[in-house]
Amino acid sequence: MRIVVAGATGTVGRHVVRVAEARGHDVVRVSRATGVDVVSGLGLDAAVRGADAVVDVLNAPSILKQPAVAFVTATTRNLLAAEARAGTAHHVAVSVVGIDGVEAGYYAGKLAQERLVTASAVPFSLLRATQFHEFAEVILRQTRRGRVAIVPSALLRPVAASEVAERLVLAVEDGPGGRLRELTGPRDERLADLVRRLAAAEGDPVHPIEVRLPGTYWRAQRSGVLRGGPDADRGTISFEEWLAARTG
């Protein structure tokens, strides 16, 4: 199959490319590095032409509501329009577990994406997954202030990005499935603990301090609603296993 991967160099995208190619698919990498701008649509028609499926694993550049919604709306509309013109038979997208009613920050963007995908004439598969193990790296980098990291309070059930990618490639092979079974990680975790363990594994002397941040977005994070329910599929790679593979 010919599979277009939008966001091919990102956290999940690079794994989607690896898994799809290992399974014998013809992969078209879509990113600014390959000369395609999904936000403006530049080069998108040529990239999508002849594709059997498009996998959208683009990531909004901000967790703030307005830029997240603007980015996701523009990219999703452009992808779906290009697919409709090309006659692409399958659009595959990844979203976030537990965000119903959380019209705040990055999650407002994912909800906007879900509405566009489900309302489109292009057949689709939509996978909701929990936060990735890699989130700990992002938080450590963004919250560090010298020897201290101010880490937001959050209850997670993180999953390996590689397992999300495997599920997305299987969705491509299975054909349009609408809303798929959710995918969560194997264990409940606290974000501050993940950051602490990551720093320790890297020999980083930073000291994480957990704080309760205000607002709907962070309230959802610490409520545990984003961990998924009992009916979700569970990944098998724990944070410790992911960390061991990452640090060698």
Side-chain angles (χ1 to χ4, degrees), residues 16 19-20 23 25 164-174:
V16 171
V19 173
R23 295 175 69 87
H25 299 294
V164 175
E166 290 170 2
R167 185 63 58 87
L168 291 171
V169 174
L170 286 176
V172 170
E173 294 171 345
D174 289 343

Side-chain angles (χ1 to χ4, degrees), residues 8-218:
T9 59
T11 301
V12 179
R14 60 190 177 87
H15 289 294
V16 171
V17 169
R18 174 182 56 78
V19 173
E21 289 183 338
R23 295 175 69 87
H25 299 294
D26 176 20
V27 176
V28 178
R29 296 167 173 80
V30 167
S31 68
R32 288 183 178 177
T34 64
V36 182
D37 186 344
V38 185
V39 176
S40 68
L42 178 66
L44 197 52
D45 281 334
V48 171
R49 190 176 300 121
D52 297 293
V54 172
V55 179
D56 179 6
V57 283
L58 291 163
N59 192 36
S62 173
I63 67 167
L64 299 178
K65 180 176 180 178
Q66 186 173 349
V69 171
F71 176 87
V72 170
T73 298
T75 56
T76 303
R77 282 178 173 164
N78 285 339
L79 283 169
L80 291 170
E83 292 162 30
R85 289 190 292 269
T88 306
H90 194 185
H91 180 93
V92 181
V94 64
S95 188
V96 182
V97 166
I99 60 173
D100 293 309
V102 188
E103 290 282 357
Y106 175 80
Y107 303 136
K110 298 309 288 184
L111 288 169
Q113 178 186 25
E114 290 184 1
R115 287 190 284 267
L116 289 169
V117 169
T118 56
S120 171
V122 179
F124 71 93
S125 296
L126 178 65
L127 173 67
R128 279 185 168 187
T130 50
Q131 193 59 259
F132 311 136
H133 294 319
E134 288 83 355
F135 188 49
E137 294 180 290
V138 175
I139 291 297
L140 177 56
R141 183 173 66 249
Q142 293 181 346
T143 67
R144 183 172 188 151
R145 301 293 183 270
R147 298 287 291 272
V148 172
I150 308 302
V151 180
S153 179
L155 299 176
L156 311 174
R157 192 173 291 153
V159 66
S162 60
E163 291 190 286
V164 175
E166 290 170 2
R167 185 63 58 87
L168 291 171
V169 174
L170 286 176
V172 170
E173 294 171 345
D174 289 343
R179 289 184 178 271
L180 306 176
R181 285 175 62 90
E182 296 178 347
L183 178 62
T184 74
R187 300 178 188 173
D188 290 348
E189 304 279 6
R190 297 189 73 88
L191 179 57
D193 290 337
L194 300 183
V195 172
R196 184 175 297 107
R197 281 140 62 190
L198 172 64
E202 295 182 335
D204 188 338
V206 68
H207 176 59
I209 299 175
E210 186 178 50
V211 298
R212 291 170 62 92
L213 295 183
T216 302
Y217 178 87
W218 293 111

